[in-house]
Amino acid sequence: MDKKGTIKKSGEIIVWLVFLLMVIVIFLGASYKIKNNNLHNTRVEAREFSFVMDAISSSSAKVHYIFRQNPNITININENCQIQAKHKDTVSPVFFRCGKDQFSDIKIQQLENKILITK
Amino acid sequence: MNKKAIFNAVEIMLYVVITVIVAVFIAVVAVNYRNEEISTTQLETFILQKKLTNSCLAYTDSAGMHPYLIDLNKLTSEILSGCYTKEGFGYSVKILDFDNIIIKEASNLDLRQRANIQICENVPKHECFKKRILVNFYDNNKISAGYMEIGVINLVE
């Protein structure tokens, strides 16, 4: 193989590598984004808390329930049963609602990484 | 341009096309996964049904509350709205006999939900669900069996 042929072959390999690198970078970027899906986790946490509240209010018995929070997510609930969940690494909070029940008296006590719900 | 150069250009274009296809595929899968909708309407309907049958509409006497025995006097819109009200979530409750004749019905729907529940499939960002269960109902000192049908319309964000 002469010099020209060798340079041409190396050029082709570089072009190939560039394209392969692009695909690998996109794949790694996508998998990083999926693994660190804070928004999704925050949405799930808000919904989970909302359903726990609804399930407790649907019970006809007395209930004491400890909801274990994700330590990176803070949860707040207002009197209209609107739940606000915020991940420490994200700017905007996620909102979700639970069913407002005027007939049952549910008390919420925030402890460290736990929420005590009593009916 | 000679024949070899044209061949090289075609070859590089082919690489570009393949790379773009693979990259777009990965990106679409990732974006779809990240933005996947969490549909909770069925679960919300299940919780609502438990709430209605176990507490809000359950017949109560000196012996206590009787789950799955529906007190027809309690089936009113006022009691339903006090029992379970959620923004964007509306529902209707019907008590039917085994011949599917409506004994009593009430709902917790606003004006828009009342109109939309009939044409739910065509209303964007809304999900509807119907659930029917067997219940006993108490009316005029008489206990009968029948169905309770819950129809739900839910705003999906």
Side-chain angles (χ1 to χ4, degrees), chain A residues 94-107:
Chain A
V94 169
F95 293 95
F96 201 68
R97 290 168 303 273
C98 49
K100 196 177 174 190
D101 179 358
Q102 292 168 1
F103 304 136
S104 44
D105 182 27
I106 298 175
K107 289 190 172 65

Side-chain angles (χ1 to χ4, degrees), chain A residues 6-108:
Chain A
T6 314
I7 290 167
K8 193 171 164 281
K9 199 78 189 163
S10 320
E12 262 178 37
I13 289 170
I14 287 167
V15 170
W16 254 112
L17 286 176
V18 166
F19 287 130
L20 189 65
L21 192 70
M22 274 172 66
V23 172
I24 290 170
V25 166
I26 288 167
F27 176 77
L28 291 178
S31 57
Y32 174 79
K33 282 279 176 194
I34 287 170
K35 275 181 195 163
N36 295 287
N37 201 344
N38 294 335
L39 181 66
H40 176 80
N41 295 341
T42 312
R43 283 165 67 196
V44 168
E45 188 85 353
R47 277 163 169 74
E48 201 177 322
F49 186 70
S50 142
F51 290 128
V52 165
M53 289 289 293
D54 283 348
I56 288 170
S57 80
S58 75
S59 167
S60 53
K62 282 189 174 179
V63 181
H64 293 270
Y65 185 84
I66 295 171
F67 180 82
R68 293 189 190 280
Q69 274 179 271
N70 181 330
N72 297 322
I73 297 171
T74 52
I75 292 177
N76 290 303
I77 178 166
N78 70 11
E79 67 278 4
N80 289 324
C81 217
Q82 190 181 49
I83 293 155
Q84 178 191 300
K86 191 181 172 302
H87 195 280
K88 67 174 186 177
D89 296 333
T90 57
V91 181
S92 53
V94 169
F95 293 95
F96 201 68
R97 290 168 303 273
C98 49
K100 196 177 174 190
D101 179 358
Q102 292 168 1
F103 304 136
S104 44
D105 182 27
I106 298 175
K107 289 190 172 65
I108 294 163

